[in-house]
């Protein structure tokens, strides 16, 4: 089968990019021909397909490309004609590439599937967040993005976001896409609440390449006395809240990741001996740290979809303390005493109230106190998130 994967960027920038790179590897391992389409960007991985990439988006292009400019149209059309894909698999494409490519793929005659990594289909600013709170106003009135100036660039950015949402509305996108593949039920429910038809959706949880995992045994799963945050160091990830909580506890926290908040937090907590900032690290560097951690904490303050960091942690036998928001609770078999434990289910973490420092502190201590079955967590996660299981489900949608 010939499969064309599309995403804004073609390097390990975030979860959407990592997913597409892993999917490319998985599909090639099964003998499929795979092409890629992305925006030309300095950090992209090298690929023979880059000759088809439209150039990096300038500030001026931010007012034209979201609607589908001539370069995207000509280069993607050329790629369709040269590669002749059976399936076009979309990922994050808004703004830098635009849903124009869904239209072109549909008109070409390819099957079109779209993995949803955020709430852009129903929220012009991607997040469904306003003033730090969940917002659904745009579900019924897209003019709200202008009213509240939700997009970068204030009024001009908000107008572009509004016009983009009107052009690529749910009726148009549902016509061009055969299947939307949200990785969480939360994402599907959000899109349906925003007016999309549930018949167009199939939940397909993210996967992990088990070949990159180390041996899972009692010996390799000896934990050390610290916990880890892994991800972007920014406001919506809740890292500021986490550091406030961690500074009040005598437990070592290792923060792995980069982002706009990192310089500020490093300065604020430079005299706090039990918070260590590692900065950006690659899998080979952070994997041993994550595997030896007592648990990983994901303190998100926006509605995460299907975070890869949770899947990676559990597959290494590391339980997760996650904010009770978005799709995070779907991945955690909680230890909460208020919830009955289902027979045969391996407890693999806890949840806490997003943004609540006191609840976070309490749950951090409870996570340290509990005696988890780390080997069972790893075994269950590897079966649950196996790339092979994912591949066979995906093929059903491709065909």
């Amino acid at each position: 089968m010939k499969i064309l994967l599309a995403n804004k960027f073609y390097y390990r920038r975030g979860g959407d990019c990592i997913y597409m790179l892993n999917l490319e590897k998985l599909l090639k391992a099964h003998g499929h021909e795979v092409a890629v389409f992305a925006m030309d960007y300095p950090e992209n991985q090298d690929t023979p397909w880059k000759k088809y990439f439209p150039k990096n988006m300038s500030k001026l292009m931010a007012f034209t490309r979201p609607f589908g400019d001539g370069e995207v149209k000509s280069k993607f059309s050329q790629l369709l004609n040269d590669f002749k894909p059976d399936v076009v698999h979309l990922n994050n494409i808004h703004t830098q590439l635009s849903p124009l490519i869904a239209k072109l793929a549909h008109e070409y005659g390819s099957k079109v599937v779209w993995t949803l990594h955020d709430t852009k289909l129903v929220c012009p600013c991607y997040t469904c967040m306003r003033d730090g709170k969940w917002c659904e106003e745009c579900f019924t009135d897209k003019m709200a993005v202008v009213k509240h100036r939700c997009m970068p660039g204030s009024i001009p950015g908000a107008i572009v976001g509004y016009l983009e949402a009107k052009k690529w509305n749910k009726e148009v996108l549902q016509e061009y896409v055969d299947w939307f593949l949200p990785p969480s039920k939360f994402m599907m429910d959000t899109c349906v609440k925003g007016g999309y038809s549930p018949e167009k959706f199939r939940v397909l949880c993210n996967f992990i390449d088990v070949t990159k995992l180390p041996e899972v045994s009692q010996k390799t799963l000896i934990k050390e006395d610290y916990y880890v945050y892994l991800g972007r160091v920014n406001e919506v990830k809740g890292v500021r809240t986490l550091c406030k909580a961690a500074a009040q506890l005598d437990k070592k926290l290792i923060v792995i990741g980069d982002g706009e908040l990192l310089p500020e937090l490093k300065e604020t907590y430079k005299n706090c001996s039990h918070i260590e900032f590692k900065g950006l690290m690659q899998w080979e560097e952070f994997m041993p740290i994550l595997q030896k951690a007592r648990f990983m904490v994901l303190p998100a303050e926006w509605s995460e979809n299907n975070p890869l960091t949770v899947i990676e942690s559990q597959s290494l036998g590391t339980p997760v303390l996650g904010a009770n928001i978005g799709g995070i609770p779907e991945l955690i078999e909680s230890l909460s005493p208020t919830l009955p434990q289902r027979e045969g289910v391996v407890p693999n973490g806890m949840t806490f109230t997003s943004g609540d420092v006191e609840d976070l502190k309490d749950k951090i201590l409870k996570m340290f106190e509990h005696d988890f079955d780390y080997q069972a967590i790893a075994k269950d996660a590897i079966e649950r998130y196996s790339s092979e299981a994912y591949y066979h489900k995906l093929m059903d949608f491709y065909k």
Side-chain angles (χ1 to χ4, degrees):
M1 188 178 290
K2 302 179 84 170
I3 302 154
L4 171 54
L5 304 178
N7 194 58
K8 298 177 181 183
F9 303 101
Y10 188 61
Y11 71 101
R12 297 178 74 85
R13 179 187 177 98
D16 58 321
C17 307
I18 294 170
Y19 165 82
M20 194 182 90
L21 290 165
N22 289 343
L23 181 58
E24 179 187 11
K25 180 180 176 182
L26 177 63
L27 293 171
K28 285 181 175 179
H30 282 272
H32 300 286
E33 292 183 62
V34 183
V36 294
F37 184 72
M39 179 182 69
D40 192 12
Y41 198 73
E43 296 180 62
N44 279 350
Q45 293 186 14
D46 193 27
T47 171
W49 304 104
K50 66 182 179 182
K51 65 181 180 180
Y52 297 100
F53 291 6
K55 58 179 171 285
N56 192 6
M57 193 173 75
S58 66
K59 289 183 179 180
L60 186 60
M61 288 179 195
F63 295 95
T64 57
R65 187 168 282 182
F67 310 102
D69 66 13
E71 186 187 17
V72 170
K73 181 176 182 179
S74 63
K75 290 199 168 182
F76 190 72
S77 296
Q78 185 182 355
L79 178 54
L80 288 173
N81 290 324
D82 291 348
F83 183 62
K84 299 177 173 56
D86 302 299
V87 177
V88 173
H89 189 148
L90 309 176
N91 291 278
N92 271 355
I93 60 169
H94 274 90
T95 307
Q96 284 87 344
L97 297 177
S98 94
L100 170 66
I101 66 176
K103 178 177 185 289
L104 295 173
H106 172 76
E107 291 174 346
Y108 178 80
S110 298
K111 173 73 70 72
V112 180
V113 301
W114 193 340
T115 294
L116 304 177
H117 299 277
D118 53 44
T119 54
K120 178 67 172 176
L121 291 192
V122 292
C123 171
C125 68
Y126 293 87
T127 64
C128 289
M129 297 288 289
R130 181 163 58 84
D131 298 330
K133 296 180 181 178
W134 182 256
C135 173
E136 299 180 357
E137 198 170 336
C138 275
F139 288 15
T140 53
D141 180 16
K142 293 295 187 287
M143 185 56 78
V145 71
V146 178
K147 174 183 173 185
H148 301 296
R149 305 185 185 188
C150 299
M151 299 286 287
S154 191
I155 285 292
I159 291 173
V160 170
Y162 167 75
L163 295 174
E164 180 187 22
K166 295 296 285 185
K167 179 176 178 66
W168 306 117
N169 58 67
K170 58 183 179 292
E171 288 78 16
V172 168
L173 296 184
Q174 287 180 132
E175 178 185 351
Y176 299 146
V177 178
D178 293 281
W179 294 113
F180 294 104
L181 303 179
S184 66
K185 186 176 183 298
F186 158 77
M187 181 61 69
M188 172 183 168
D189 291 345
T190 300
C191 291
V192 170
K193 199 169 185 180
Y196 282 79
S197 169
E199 286 74 26
K200 297 289 286 188
F201 289 76
R202 294 294 184 271
V203 176
L204 189 57
C205 181
N206 284 328
F207 68 93
I208 189 167
D209 178 5
V210 296
T211 63
K212 74 176 186 176
L213 298 174
E215 177 191 0
V216 175
S217 67
Q218 203 65 46
K219 184 178 180 181
T220 61
L221 292 178
I222 296 174
K223 299 295 185 177
E224 298 182 8
D225 205 28
Y226 63 85
Y227 63 116
V228 166
Y229 167 78
L230 173 63
R232 292 285 297 170
V233 183
N234 59 25
E235 205 75 55
V236 297
K237 291 289 188 178
V239 192
R240 189 193 299 278
T241 299
L242 173 60
C243 287
K244 285 180 183 178
Q248 300 174 48
L249 299 173
D250 190 21
K251 301 290 184 182
K252 183 177 180 180
L253 167 66
I254 296 177
V255 177
I256 302 172
D258 196 6
E260 55 268 27
L261 271 187
L262 185 59
E264 175 194 325
L265 294 178
K266 288 177 74 172
E267 176 63 25
T268 301
Y269 296 100
K270 62 184 178 183
N271 296 321
C272 186
S273 61
H274 54 273
I275 301 180
E276 181 181 355
F277 296 93
K278 291 283 193 181
L280 183 65
M281 302 177 79
Q282 298 304 314
W283 168 261
E284 295 77 11
E285 299 171 297
F286 73 71
M287 185 273 292
I289 300 173
L290 185 58
Q291 186 178 31
K292 293 176 183 177
R294 290 285 295 276
F295 60 93
M296 191 274 285
V297 58
L298 183 56
E301 293 177 10
W302 76 308
S303 294
E304 295 268 1
N305 180 11
N306 189 242
L308 185 60
T309 54
V310 174
I311 292 172
E312 289 175 334
S313 298
Q314 293 172 350
S315 298
L316 290 169
T318 300
V320 175
L321 172 59
N324 192 8
I325 191 171
I328 296 173
E330 295 176 40
L331 300 175
I332 298 176
E333 297 295 343
S334 179
L335 283 168
S336 172
T338 61
L339 297 174
Q341 293 302 312
R342 290 181 285 137
E343 186 177 353
V345 171
V346 179
N348 58 21
M350 297 186 75
T351 58
F352 72 96
T353 304
S354 176
D356 189 326
V357 173
E358 292 304 313
D359 192 33
L360 177 54
K361 285 166 52 182
D362 178 62
K363 296 297 170 52
I364 288 172
L365 294 176
K366 282 183 168 59
M367 289 288 288
F368 272 104
E369 292 168 2
H370 188 77
D371 184 19
F372 286 96
D373 187 338
Y374 303 117
Q375 193 167 10
I377 290 173
K379 182 176 181 294
D380 180 70
I382 289 169
E383 291 176 358
R384 184 178 180 184
Y385 308 126
S386 160
S387 54
E388 286 304 300
Y390 184 93
Y391 169 78
H392 291 296
K393 292 175 184 176
L394 184 62
M395 283 300 107
D396 289 338
F397 300 124
Y398 280 2
K399 295 173 181 176

